[in-house]
Each structure stands twice: as C-alpha cells, then as structure tokens.
Amino acid sequence: MNNHLDQIKFQLTEASGMMHQMKDDCSQSIADAAQVMISALENGNKILWCGNGGSAAQAQHLSTEVIGGLRDHVRPGKASLSLTTDSSFLTAWPNDVGFDTLFSRQVESLGQKGDVLIGISTSGNSENIVRAVESAGELGMKVIVFTGRDGGKLAKSGDVMISIPSDDTQHIQEGHITAGHIVCELVEQAFS
C-alpha cells in the first residue's frame, strides 16, 4: 500500500509542478487563443477541433463546451465542431485513402476563411494533425495548436501554440484540458 501512496504523491507533485510552470509558460498563449476564437465567432465563423486518441476525446469535450456552455448554459450556442465524431468518415477515409489525410480532408470540406482549426497533439508529430494545420492555413483559417514541450513538427506552426511544459504524455493531456477549459471560459465570458 505504501508503494501506491508514494507513486500517487509523486504523480500529484509532478502534475502540480507542471501546472505551476504553465502560469509562466502558457498564460499569454491561452489568452491569445481565446482572442482568436472570440474574433472568429464574433464574425460568424466556426471552430473546428481535431486530435487522436485522448486528444480526440479532448477535442470533443472542448468543442462541446463552446456549443453548450462551460458555466453559462443560457448564453447563445456558438458554432464548434469536433472532426473526431463522424464514425462513418473516420472509418471509410482511412480504409480507402489513408489516415494521414483524415483531418485535412475534413478541413478542406468544412472549413472556410475566417474559421479556426484547433489541432491537439501531445507530441506535435501526428501527421494527420500536421496536414490539417497546413490545409487550414491554405484556406485562410486561423490555427491554434495544443502540444507538448518542444512542439514537434507543429512547432512554430499556426497562429497560436499552447505548448505544455512537460515531456510526459499524461501531464501534457492534463495541461491541455486545463488550458482548454480556461480558453472556453474566456470565450464564454465574451458572449455572456
């Protein structure tokens, strides 16, 4: 039992240290991401989200916060769509064409100038996210990237990069959901 307690305390200490570091490393990029989203939504545009695995779940979760409300369920809903939810397309396109273009194809079909793409990748190296970011840029969309410490292939791409100061996937995901909730709250306050 003590082994478990030591491991629990270690993980909580690591997570809290990472969150503390986020105050210095991520506050400005979180504010910038919220402003990009607010501007797009004020202009009648929409937010598209994408990610793989746990990041796909976070894309769905955060997209829902924009539509339904994080705290304010009375304010008008805002246009937000997770590209990870169309099971027919998610299985057909990779089977017939390839996984690397899964999200870029959706961006090309659903995105338009002035929309925002949010790509979530803990490593920054997910090829389907990299290609989606490239497609969004070609369409004149704004791009926000959530990634880990060095940003991988996505480093310096897009308009805003929220790079969580960690190399540990679980802590990066914890940072992403925290940053995402803050972004969604700032967006919500702008329309409440």
Side-chain angles (χ1 to χ4, degrees):
M1 182 95 136
N2 285 341
N3 249 357
H4 290 162
L5 290 178
D6 290 343
Q7 183 178 2
I8 291 165
K9 290 176 183 179
F10 174 79
Q11 289 296 334
L12 291 172
T13 300
E14 289 287 302
S16 65
M18 180 270 301
M19 292 286 183
H20 183 74
Q21 188 62 43
M22 281 178 65
K23 284 192 307 182
D24 295 328
D25 293 1
C26 301
S27 291
Q28 186 61 57
S29 57
I30 291 170
D32 293 345
Q35 190 54 56
V36 165
M37 292 171 65
I38 290 165
S39 295
L41 293 169
E42 284 176 339
N43 290 324
N45 291 99
K46 63 187 169 297
I47 314 298
L48 302 178
W49 304 74
C50 60
N52 297 296
S55 298
Q58 290 187 339
Q60 291 174 225
H61 177 140
L62 295 169
S63 179
T64 297
E65 302 294 15
V66 174
I67 296 169
L70 184 69
R71 298 180 194 277
D72 181 358
H73 303 293
V74 177
R75 65 132 171 106
K78 296 299 171 187
S80 185
L81 175 67
S82 175
L83 302 179
T84 64
T85 58
D86 184 343
S87 60
S88 295
F89 184 78
L90 293 174
T91 54
W93 187 264
N95 184 62
D96 297 344
V97 179
F99 193 68
D100 288 350
T101 55
L102 174 66
F103 297 128
S104 60
R105 181 62 165 201
Q106 291 179 89
V107 168
E108 293 162 6
S109 302
L110 301 170
Q112 60 187 6
K113 185 174 183 172
D115 288 346
V116 177
L117 173 70
I118 301 178
I120 307 174
S121 172
T122 58
S123 68
N125 294 319
S126 300
E127 189 62 30
N128 57 6
I129 305 294
V130 170
R131 291 190 185 197
V133 165
E134 291 168 355
S135 292
E138 291 168 6
L139 287 172
M141 295 172 63
K142 295 289 187 180
V143 175
I144 299 167
V145 175
F146 282 67
T147 188
R149 183 175 303 279
D150 71 1
K153 292 179 182 178
L154 291 170
K156 298 182 178 69
S157 67
D159 300 283
V160 179
M161 184 171 85
I162 299 174
S163 181
I164 304 303
S166 178
D167 295 315
D168 185 307
T169 299
Q170 76 180 29
H171 293 313
I172 294 168
Q173 290 176 330
E174 291 159 0
H176 284 172
I177 200 65
T178 299
H181 276 146
I182 296 168
V183 167
C184 289
E185 185 167 23
L186 294 173
V187 169
E188 181 165 278
Q189 288 172 357
F191 296 101
S192 291

